[in-house]
């Protein structure tokens, strides 16, 4: 296996950072930017709603399948070469998505986007860790986290603005200038590294690909298919279990496997991977819940919704900048993580007090609090994850780390939207059962139950109130889930300042 030095000398560090961050931001934004443009794409491509959903699903599944391959590809071809191919391929695939003329072409090109983009996040993380000395790893992860955390927040409003003012094609074509600049910057700044000839574990890749693809399809389409009442979902569950089980057996019985699961035996990395899974649940579930909450319940347009959610990204940027400096000064990473968890829990608790007519400022304040909390958690956990791993394992570990975050986001979104849908039905039935001609005083107004129009308006208002209750219950659940993660901080091992294990790791590399 190729060994990478724990700290690689870089001639133009600012250019490397900017180039890698542009590539990362481009890929992360594309995971959410197409969501708001989906109705326009559906009409333009003459697709049904179920077909249009595959525009999102195909990208997610392809990226999930390809992410674990990052470690082997980087060892075989070198990280610099892999990064250049990934950026170029992602940019070309974006152009193809932008000029697609039917749903079949679009789904195929989105698969290409996902396959090429999968390596960008883990490669960028490991490259930044190698470019910075150990004492500045907190600052490096703050820079990296800004792209990974802020990207999904920027995506929906940017996609809405581009679609509204231009067309859905620009949701993809905007990647072209960004991709070209990132590619030229990587070519000029990222140093070449050693490569290693090794056999590709096709059997392990097949088992893991089946498991991951089936799991992602299950999570992405489960709510739409009414979960396990659908034969499709039953098959996906069986395939997911079978794929992961066969890979585990394969890993136990083989000397060299596709993904080295023994990395999870490292206490810090194992706990951090579990932690980032929880962060994925909270980050993406909350981000996915708020836009429909604001648009459907409060009738805010897409652009206004984006502006209301933007302060959350600002809070994340401020927190990441501050915590990067604190970590460089030698603070125990668990302290800002604990504060961050409490801030996230507080923001979710305040969100649970929202109603269907909440004013703008509480939404903004909650967003800032949540952004601050996520920033304080994300940077330290990303730093601690690699603190006790050898430098040669970083790229492969980054692939596992990114995969855990992505699966966490899929789990969070699926569960929370299912709970919203079912909670709305339950609350609607409960509220409707309490409404009778004798329990309401509605003389001649729009909610007059004596007319068909009045009954329709009344039913719409009951549905709106029921949905608000369902969202509130979700926020309470996520608050308790956040607090549940707090004791896991005690499991982290904080390396001593002067021997934070990059030096022993470097010795292992040589």
């Amino acid at each position: 296996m190729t060994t990478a030095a724990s700290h690689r000398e870089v001639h133009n560090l600012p250019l490397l950072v900017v180039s890698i961050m542009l590539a990362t931001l481009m890929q992360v934004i594309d995971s959410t930017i197409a969501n708001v443009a989906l109705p326009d794409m559906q009409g333009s491509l003459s697709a049904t709603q179920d077909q249009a959903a595959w525009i999102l699903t195909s990208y997610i599944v392809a990226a999930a399948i390809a992410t674990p391959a990052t470690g082997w590809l980087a060892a075989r071809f070198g990280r610099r070469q892999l990064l250049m191919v990934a950026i170029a391929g992602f940019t070309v695939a974006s152009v193809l998505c932008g000029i697609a003329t039917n749903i079949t072409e679009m789904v195929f090109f989105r698969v290409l986007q996902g396959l090429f983009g999968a390596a960008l996040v883990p490669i960028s993380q490991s490259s930044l860790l190698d470019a910075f000395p150990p004492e500045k790893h907190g600052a490096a992860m703050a820079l990296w986290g800004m792209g990974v955390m802020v990207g999904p927040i920027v995506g929906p409003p940017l996609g809405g603005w581009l679609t509204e003012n231009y067309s859905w094609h620009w949701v993809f074509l905007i990647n072209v200038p960004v991709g070209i600049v990132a590619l030229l910057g990587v070519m000029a700044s990222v140093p070449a590294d050693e490569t290693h000839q090794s056999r590709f574990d096709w059997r392990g890749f097949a088992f893991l690909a089946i498991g991951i693809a089936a799991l992602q399809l299950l999570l992405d389409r489960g709510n739409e298919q009414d979960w396990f009442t659908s034969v499709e979902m039953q098959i996906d569950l069986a395939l997911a279990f079978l794929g992961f089980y066969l890979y585990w057996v394969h890993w136990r019985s083989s000397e060299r496997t596709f993904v080295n699961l023994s990395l999870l035996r490292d206490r810090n990395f194992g706990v951090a991977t579990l932690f980032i899974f929880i962060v994925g649940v909270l980050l993406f579930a909350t981000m996915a819940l708020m836009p429909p909450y604001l648009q459907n319940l409060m009738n805010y347009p897409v652009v206004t919704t984006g502006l209301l959610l933007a302060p959350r990204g600002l809070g994340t940027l401020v927190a990441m900048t501050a915590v990067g400096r604190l970590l460089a000064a030698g603070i125990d990473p668990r302290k800002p993580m604990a504060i961050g968890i409490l801030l996230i829990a507080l923001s979710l608790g305040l969100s649970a007090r929202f109603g269907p007519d909440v004013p703008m400022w509480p939404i903004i304040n909650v967003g800032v609090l949540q952004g601050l909390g996520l920033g304080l958690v994300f940077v330290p956990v990303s730093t601690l994850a690699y603190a006790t791993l050898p430098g040669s394992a970083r790229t492969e570990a980054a692939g596992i780390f990114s995969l855990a975050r992505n699966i966490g986001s899929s789990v969070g979104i699926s569960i929370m939207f299912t709970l919203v849908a079912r909670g709305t039905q339950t609350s609607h039935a409960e509220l409707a059962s309490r409404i009778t001609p004798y329990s309401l005083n509605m003389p001649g107004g729009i909610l007059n139950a004596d007319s068909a129009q009045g009954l329709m308006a009344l039913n719409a208002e009951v549905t709106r109130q029921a949905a608000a209750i369902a969202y509130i219950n979700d926020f309470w659940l996520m608050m308790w889930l956040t607090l549940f993660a707090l004791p896991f901080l005690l499991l982290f091992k904080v390396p001593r300042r002067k021997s934070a294990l990059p030096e022993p790791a470097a010795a292992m590399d040589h």
Side-chain angles (χ1 to χ4, degrees):
M1 171 110 185
T2 300
T3 57
S6 293
H7 170 45
R8 190 186 305 279
E9 198 66 37
V10 177
H11 297 297
N12 195 334
L13 185 58
L15 180 59
L16 180 143
V17 170
V18 170
S19 304
I20 285 180
M21 289 313 305
L22 279 175
T24 304
L25 195 60
M26 178 175 67
Q27 192 272 345
V28 174
I29 285 179
D30 256 57
S31 65
T32 57
I33 194 173
N35 295 29
V36 292
L38 201 61
D40 291 74
M41 285 189 273
Q42 179 183 338
S44 176
L45 300 173
S46 301
T48 65
Q49 186 173 357
D50 188 55
Q51 289 173 331
W54 280 99
I55 297 174
L56 306 179
T57 303
S58 58
Y59 179 87
I60 294 170
V61 172
I65 291 172
T67 297
T70 302
W72 184 88
L73 290 171
R76 175 65 179 81
F77 300 104
R79 283 190 303 191
R80 181 176 184 271
Q81 193 74 16
L82 177 59
L83 195 55
M84 290 191 299
V85 171
I87 295 172
F90 189 87
T91 305
V92 171
S94 298
V95 174
L96 294 174
C97 288
I99 62 175
T101 57
N102 57 63
I103 189 64
T104 304
E105 290 180 0
M106 174 60 80
V107 171
F108 178 71
F109 297 147
R110 284 287 279 175
V111 169
L112 289 181
Q113 249 196 334
L115 293 175
F116 280 110
L120 290 176
V121 171
I123 286 290
S124 66
Q125 187 177 29
S126 60
S127 296
L128 285 177
L129 284 169
D130 280 358
F132 284 79
E135 64 272 13
K136 293 186 178 180
H137 278 181
M141 288 301 93
L143 290 169
W144 178 76
M146 288 177 188
V148 173
M149 299 288 280
V150 176
I153 300 172
V154 173
L158 177 61
W161 184 81
L162 288 170
T163 304
E164 187 173 315
N165 291 279
Y166 298 97
S167 71
W168 65 263
H169 303 275
W170 285 98
V171 167
F172 302 106
L173 296 178
I174 195 175
N175 289 333
V176 175
V178 178
I180 292 173
V181 172
L183 179 60
L184 294 175
V186 166
M187 292 171 66
S189 62
V190 175
D193 51 350
E194 299 175 2
T195 60
H196 177 70
Q197 300 287 338
S198 62
R199 180 181 59 85
F200 188 72
D201 180 17
W202 286 105
R203 187 167 55 169
F205 173 73
F207 292 154
L208 201 56
I210 290 170
I212 292 173
L215 178 62
Q216 286 288 357
L217 286 171
L218 173 69
L219 295 171
D220 194 61
R221 293 173 56 79
N223 189 38
E224 178 187 330
Q225 299 292 324
D226 199 20
W227 292 101
F228 302 116
T229 59
S230 164
V231 175
E232 179 188 337
M233 294 301 99
Q234 294 171 9
I235 293 172
D236 284 340
L237 178 63
L239 286 175
F241 177 81
L242 180 64
F244 288 129
Y245 174 74
L246 289 176
Y247 184 80
W248 181 78
V249 172
H250 173 67
W251 172 71
R252 296 279 295 178
S253 59
S254 302
E255 292 184 7
R256 176 70 187 163
T257 53
F258 180 60
V259 174
N260 184 11
L261 296 181
S262 62
L263 291 174
L264 294 171
R265 293 173 180 164
D266 179 273
R267 191 169 83 181
N268 268 18
F269 184 68
V271 176
T273 301
L274 175 61
F275 217 89
I276 204 65
F277 174 87
I278 297 173
V279 169
V281 170
L282 299 172
L283 168 67
F284 287 93
T286 310
M287 282 190 341
L289 285 176
M290 286 307 294
Y293 183 92
L294 296 176
Q295 292 173 37
N296 300 337
L297 269 67
M298 302 187 62
N299 297 317
Y300 283 123
V302 172
V303 176
T304 305
T305 298
L307 292 174
L308 285 174
L309 298 179
R312 173 173 161 165
L314 182 62
T316 303
L317 287 174
V318 170
M320 285 184 170
T321 303
V323 79
R325 295 184 178 182
L326 290 172
L327 294 177
I331 191 174
D332 185 339
R334 294 172 297 185
K335 293 180 179 178
M337 286 176 71
I339 296 172
I341 288 172
L342 293 175
L343 285 176
I344 295 171
L346 175 61
S347 72
L348 290 167
L350 293 173
S351 299
R353 296 179 179 274
F354 286 173
D357 301 297
V358 62
M360 286 188 177
W361 276 110
I363 298 170
I364 293 172
N365 294 337
V366 162
V368 172
L369 274 178
Q370 195 169 96
L372 289 170
L374 287 167
L376 290 174
V377 169
F378 194 81
V379 175
V381 74
S382 300
T383 305
L384 284 172
Y386 306 96
T388 52
L389 284 176
S392 59
R394 282 181 189 149
T395 302
E396 188 170 12
I400 298 173
F401 195 70
S402 295
L403 181 63
R405 189 187 72 252
N406 292 338
I407 292 178
S409 69
S410 297
V411 169
I413 291 171
S414 296
I415 291 176
M416 295 308 162
F417 270 111
T418 297
L419 291 176
V420 163
R422 305 222 168 150
T424 300
Q425 293 174 357
T426 304
S427 298
H428 186 281
E430 178 67 23
L431 292 174
S433 69
R434 297 174 182 272
I435 297 176
T436 69
Y438 307 103
S439 63
L440 292 177
N441 182 18
M442 303 177 295
I446 193 171
L447 298 181
N448 184 359
D450 294 331
S451 68
Q453 183 182 4
L455 283 173
M456 290 174 62
L458 179 60
N459 182 65
E461 182 59 26
V462 170
T463 302
R464 181 168 171 262
Q465 297 290 338
I469 294 171
Y471 278 107
I472 287 169
N473 290 338
D474 266 21
F475 291 135
W476 280 123
L477 175 61
M478 286 191 287
M479 184 194 77
W480 289 113
L481 178 62
T482 304
L483 292 174
F484 170 75
L486 198 58
F488 285 98
L489 296 181
L490 300 175
L491 299 177
F492 281 108
K493 179 182 179 182
V494 181
R496 288 176 298 173
R497 178 73 173 164
K498 292 185 180 180
S499 60
L501 265 170
E503 288 142 3
M508 289 175 64
D509 289 341
H510 296 292

